[in-house]
Amino acid sequence: MKPSASYGAEDIHILEGLHAVRKRPGMYIGNTSTGGLHHLVWEIVDNAVDEHLASYAHTIAVAVHADGSVTVEDDGRGIPVSMHASGVPTPQVVFTVLHAGGKFGVGGGYAKSGGLHGVGASVTNALSEWLVVDIARDGALYRQKFASWVDADGTEHVGAPVTTLERIGDTKRTGTKVTFKPDARVFHGQVHVQAALLMERLQQIAFLNAGLRIQFRDERTDERVEYAYEGGLVSYVGFLNEGKSVLHDCVRMFGTKDGIDVEIAFQYHDGFVETIASYVNSIPTHSGGTHETGFKAAYTRVMNEYARKHQLLKEKDKNIEGADVREGMMAVLHVKMAEVEFVGQTKGQLGSSAARTVVESIVAEQLTRVLQEQPTLAHQLLKKALLAAKAREAARKAREDVRTGKKGRSDLAQLVGKLTPAQSKDRTRNELFIVEGDSAGGSAKQGRDARHQAILPLRGKPMNPEKAKLSDLLRNEEYRAIIATLGVDVGASCDPEGAHYGKVIIMTDADTDGAHIQVLLLTFFYRYMKPLIEQGMVYLARPPLYKVTMTKQKRFVYAYDEDALAALTREHGGNVEVQRYKGLGEMNPDQLWDTTMNPSARVLHQVRIEDATKAERRIVTLMGDAVEPRKRWIVDNVDFTQYDV
Ligand code: 2B7
């Protein structure tokens, strides 16, 4: 494209501005890789969202075209087409002046736009090969084009207008449409816009702005989606909790104070993890900040007040801690305010102190009302919080008992006394074998590598963690011994870094009982020490099922499953003697070492959670009331990781 508009003296300053963006793109869009590329889209989308927040735009459409260019369109008022005080059309100011919104007073009424956002259209223009803006307003359609190019004599043009604002037709609609092509020279040739990235953020924006409809289409693949959520944050929480068992209907709290809008939705699920997704003016604050601090402070205070008032906490009791009242909470917090201040450069953390006071006061007032109006919910949440507090305290105590070797009323110390520790103190190399039964424990103890392998024998069958309350589990010797030996907390504060062992290996008999114990222990780890599974620290030992002696050669091998046995029998024309191992105890220490414990010979199955929801379903199927699937699982003794529900 060739320039056709001429420039006045004022334009020199303007062009210098955009040249600066080209020179140091990172300063304006963070980087010139994927993040920066998509930033070009967000600058434009943010302006459209601002027009929605001003109550004019209802629909935003985003399209990626076959040539890699992107269109963003809104049905708002349309950028004013009048001449700006500087003597150029307003759209030209918007697309060629850095921080046009702030400096030139364009777009008044966008009080609650995203801080540095809403003023970045010129940045997108500066880093594009070309940009076209179409404006529908006052019955007419207008267009202006911009481009970046280098003349034959080396003169560089950045985001320069190549047409002036032209009236190109009539229309009854109103709105703004911006189409641009990211400049490959800026992005090292990598200008492929990713649909998945756009969709994720567009959906998020739709959740955060109830009533806004966002359409997306990718003309490269013909993919189309539309995001529109009348429920706003409540829909968002529902989406985030999808696949989880939730404990109650989503709660919504909202209010406005000192010009700051606050909205919060929360809903607990039966897990431990606390998730608070917070935003300011639709911008994610991944590192939280003042709004989150205010929310947490008010939430903890009001819950404790309620607990005391209703005798759930006695006078002598300590307050429930924040982490305990938030265990299993899924929350979204959105604050809208003017003059947003972020901590640091990355916008990840809100710094405005007004947000803390306002959120705190609105949450205090609203949550007090919610608890009053819904006493059943209030009691449910507080009981859960008290249980979380108890669990944490019990886990701490269980570990302390072991550390101090204290003999209490319980015979925990005695049980942990059964632990045969590893000689090494290297927690990354050390392995804890949780072994079924005392006799197998004895063989394991004698057969092990004493430097790095510790043996914890279990008495009977551990309690079913699916059926028992956590408070009961924590009274159970087996689980207390495991918690104490591993040295990690259960629930939200479970930190694998603190574990005394790098590997936890469950070693049970290759029979139904053994399989059952495996499932019980895995359920326990899944429910209460999930991070250990996530970190790949939990394993199942796989002892052999058969000892197969080749009668002619007078030697033997181990068979780990029926297939291997069948193959051996076939191979040796039936001249085999088969010994079925019924339990680990039938193996002598050497055999146990050779077949099951020796790191260079054994078969271990790493327990993984590829998909937490699937795993949860699996556990419920295996451990719930459905007898048939559990039976099948136990009979098959299928490896946990390969079991497909
Ligand atoms: C701060 C600048 C960028 N602006 C307006 C008015 C409406 C408007 C815009 C826009 C992106 C792609 C489709 C204000 C604000 C400029 O001043 S920008 N709509 N949409 C947009 O960029 N969408 C406006 C007051 C009265 N009438 C119109």
Side-chain angles (χ1 to χ4, degrees), residues 44 47-48 51 72-74 77-80 107 110 118 137 176 178:
I44 304 300
N47 287 347
E51 186 65 2
V72 181
E73 187 171 4
D74 72 46
R77 292 166 291 183
I79 299 175
Y110 289 138
R137 203 185 150 96
T176 305
V178 177

Side-chain angles (χ1 to χ4, degrees), residues 41 43-52 54 56-57 59-61 71-81 90-91 93-95 99-102 105-110 113 117-122 133-134 137 175-179:
V41 183
E43 291 294 354
I44 304 300
V45 167
D46 284 345
N47 287 347
V49 172
D50 284 347
E51 186 65 2
H52 165 75
Y56 294 99
T59 303
I60 298 174
T71 295
V72 181
E73 187 171 4
D74 72 46
D75 59 354
R77 292 166 291 183
I79 299 175
V81 291
T90 304
V93 176
V94 168
F95 287 96
H99 300 140
V106 182
Y110 289 138
S113 79
H117 279 221
V119 292
S122 60
V133 57
D134 287 305
R137 203 185 150 96
T176 305
K177 177 162 110 177
V178 177
T179 304

Side-chain angles (χ1 to χ4, degrees), residues 131-144:
L131 181 147
V132 181
V133 57
D134 287 305
I135 295 159
R137 203 185 150 96
D138 309 329
L141 201 59
Y142 300 87
R143 172 171 292 173
Q144 188 167 22

Side-chain angles (χ1 to χ4, degrees), residues 322-340:
D324 292 327
V325 291
R326 295 190 305 270
E327 190 170 292
M329 170 192 268
M330 180 68 75
V332 179
L333 160 61
H334 192 188
V335 165
K336 293 178 195 165
M337 61 188 294
E339 288 156 39
V340 176

Side-chain angles (χ1 to χ4, degrees), residues 18 20 57 62 85 90 102 138 166 169 210 232 234 284 319 372 376-377 439 487 507 544 553 565 588 606 621 626 637:
L18 293 195
V62 178
T90 304
D138 309 329
E166 292 170 335
V234 172
N319 263 6
Q372 244 160 36
T376 317
L377 175 69
S439 69
M507 188 162 74
Q553 289 121 312
L565 174 66
N588 65 40
Q606 189 174 41
T621 318
N637 189 16

